[in-house]
Amino acid sequence: MQHPYVYAYPQGGGSSVPLPPQAGVIVDPRYCSPQVIDLAIVRKLMKITDGNFVITNVHGNLLFQVKDPLFALHDKRILLDASGAKVMTLKGKMVSMHDRWQVFRGGSTEPGDLLYTVKRSHMLQLKAKLDVFLAHNTEEKRCDFRVKGTWHERSCVVYAGESDTIVAQMHEKHTVQSVFLGKDNFSVTVYPNVDYAFIASLIVILVEIE
């Protein structure tokens, strides 16, 4: 598959171009690859079951799906792997000026299992700009990742920290069949050594915030 986008890590830079310290394992080492990974995300526009996201690789093999627990007291989504095991729990705060979401390991919502927090960069935004703070970044003065863009415009880019280094980017694929079936099809390119489970969860949160 061709990748018409700018790669996160400049080609031919050699050892003089270090990887950003944020890139790497956030959820689990098995979700990091030395190669570019392309994810296909299907979002059902009319939710009939208790989940509306399915995430596969380019070969159509199931990687993750998102489940919405019934009767939850908070906005809550659970990211499951292909076997149905809980990978992450995404919990949004019902009263939050910045649309804050917290993401925990597995099915937990305990503080000790916090992986990262996401919130809007500013309260009033025409386009979504999200700041991501890893669990150890408790002061939240500088973000560890940034998300810019919107699925409405078929464009979303994830940056490392406050740099211009791209670690993943999304583009939406619209077909007559997908519209007829009530689905949005996204393709997400995840660059080398970036946790693609982490990226998948960020895309889900972006859609939920919008």
Side-chain angles (χ1 to χ4, degrees):
M1 176 177 291
Q2 293 182 336
H3 302 285
Y5 301 97
V6 178
Y7 274 73
Y9 310 128
Q11 304 300 295
S15 59
S16 63
V17 184
L19 297 182
Q22 298 94 332
V25 178
I26 295 176
V27 180
D28 192 284
R30 59 182 165 159
Y31 302 129
C32 290
S33 170
Q35 308 297 325
V36 170
I37 297 293
D38 285 299
L39 306 178
I41 302 180
V42 177
R43 174 178 176 264
K44 300 174 185 176
L45 301 180
M46 296 182 65
K47 185 168 61 176
I48 300 174
T49 61
D50 60 347
N52 61 342
F53 285 95
V54 174
I55 302 166
T56 70
N57 62 17
V58 292
H59 304 294
N61 298 318
L62 179 65
L63 297 176
F64 309 107
Q65 53 187 327
V66 178
K67 182 177 180 180
D68 304 352
L70 298 176
F71 310 115
L73 296 177
H74 301 271
D75 282 336
K76 192 175 181 181
R77 307 290 182 267
I78 299 176
L79 191 76
L80 308 173
D81 67 13
S83 70
K86 296 177 181 178
V87 179
M88 285 178 282
T89 297
L90 291 56
K91 188 176 77 169
K93 293 201 172 183
M94 298 182 69
V95 181
S96 173
M97 292 184 294
H98 288 266
D99 288 320
R100 177 181 289 264
W101 283 72
Q102 291 180 309
V103 179
F104 301 85
R105 189 179 306 279
S108 173
T109 55
E110 296 296 323
D113 292 315
L114 179 68
L115 292 172
Y116 69 89
T117 298
V118 182
K119 67 178 183 179
R120 287 185 183 270
S121 301
H122 305 284
M123 287 184 291
L124 300 177
Q125 295 179 343
L126 295 177
K127 294 184 179 180
K129 294 181 180 179
L130 308 180
D131 290 337
V132 182
F133 304 93
L134 299 181
H136 61 78
N137 187 356
T138 55
E139 293 186 356
E140 297 186 356
K141 290 183 178 180
R142 294 175 66 89
C143 64
D144 297 293
F145 294 89
R146 290 179 298 128
V147 183
K148 295 179 66 176
T150 168
W151 68 268
H152 288 296
E153 295 183 356
R154 310 179 189 180
S155 175
C156 170
V157 180
V158 182
Y159 298 92
E162 298 180 3
S163 72
D164 293 326
T165 301
I166 297 172
V167 298
Q169 49 193 341
M170 174 190 77
H171 44 103
E172 188 176 21
K173 297 185 296 183
H174 254 327
T175 66
V176 174
Q177 182 184 27
S178 67
V179 172
F180 178 75
L181 294 175
K183 297 179 179 179
D184 277 340
N185 294 314
F186 301 89
S187 177
V188 180
T189 299
V190 183
Y191 294 111
N193 304 308
V194 177
D195 192 318
Y196 61 85
F198 165 66
I199 297 299
S201 65
L202 281 182
I203 299 300
V204 172
I205 290 173
L206 173 67
V207 175
E208 294 294 344
I209 284 179
E210 292 190 358

